[in-house]
Amino acid sequence: MTLTTPGTGTRRLTHSWLLTARREDLARFRRLASVALRAWDQPPHVVEVVLHGVTELLANVARHVDNPRCTLELTDLGGAVRVTVHDRSPALPRITLPDWTAEEGRGLWLLREMADELGFERTDEGKRVWVRVSSDAGYR
């Protein structure tokens, strides 16, 4: 799908999926995202971080949200790709320094370190969590 921002004429390519976040389906959603990223001709470093973002954000919905129905969006911003997950829980994520001996609890921290931006906000329906990855040649 192509969206055009009114007034600016800016065009954005986007893919959106309404889904139920389950751990056993994460590979499927990574494949769908990978197809979109290939179609947008994104460089390998963007693909790696975006796919990590898809996995982490959906895994968090599966693990922490009572109702795992959510929306996954990929948007080509022209120079960056944004992964956004909208879910129905108003509880915002907490990003803390991980316990490196624990089996979990470091995903968002790692994602924040890998991406150019990680953000979240409450919405009328729950919350929105996003990751933005720059496709510029001078990446981190």
Side-chain angles (χ1 to χ4, degrees), residues 60-61 64-66 87-94 108 120-123 125-129:
N60 282 347
V61 172
H64 300 294
V65 177
D66 290 336
D87 68 49
R88 296 181 177 158
S89 170
L92 297 177
R94 289 184 10 178
L108 283 178
F120 44 85
E121 64 186 355
R122 285 190 178 92
T123 65
E125 298 81 29
K127 73 174 165 297
R128 175 174 82 105
V129 182

Side-chain angles (χ1 to χ4, degrees), residues 73-126:
E73 293 178 358
L74 289 182
T75 306
D76 181 337
L77 301 169
V81 174
R82 184 178 58 225
V83 179
T84 307
V85 171
H86 302 261
D87 68 49
R88 296 181 177 158
S89 170
L92 297 177
R94 289 184 10 178
I95 303 172
T96 59
L97 187 62
D99 174 357
W100 296 109
T101 61
E103 291 187 24
E104 56 185 38
R106 59 185 152 269
L108 283 178
W109 185 88
L110 286 170
L111 189 56
R112 184 188 66 191
E113 295 301 307
M114 296 167 66
D116 294 287
E117 178 184 23
L118 171 71
F120 44 85
E121 64 186 355
R122 285 190 178 92
T123 65
D124 290 341
E125 298 81 29

Side-chain angles (χ1 to χ4, degrees), residues 23-103:
R23 289 176 158 234
E24 60 269 20
D25 293 334
L26 293 178
R28 179 173 156 237
F29 296 115
R30 284 174 57 91
R31 283 191 300 275
L32 290 171
S34 182
V35 168
L37 294 168
R38 267 197 313 263
W40 295 341
D41 199 28
Q42 291 297 320
H45 76 278
V46 172
V47 173
E48 177 184 352
V49 178
V50 166
L51 294 181
H52 181 74
V54 167
T55 302
E56 183 61 30
L57 298 182
L58 290 178
N60 282 347
V61 172
R63 184 179 305 121
H64 300 294
V65 177
D66 290 336
N67 181 345
R69 294 289 291 167
C70 63
T71 303
L72 168 65
E73 293 178 358
L74 289 182
T75 306
D76 181 337
L77 301 169
V81 174
R82 184 178 58 225
V83 179
T84 307
V85 171
H86 302 261
D87 68 49
R88 296 181 177 158
S89 170
L92 297 177
R94 289 184 10 178
I95 303 172
T96 59
L97 187 62
D99 174 357
W100 296 109
T101 61
E103 291 187 24

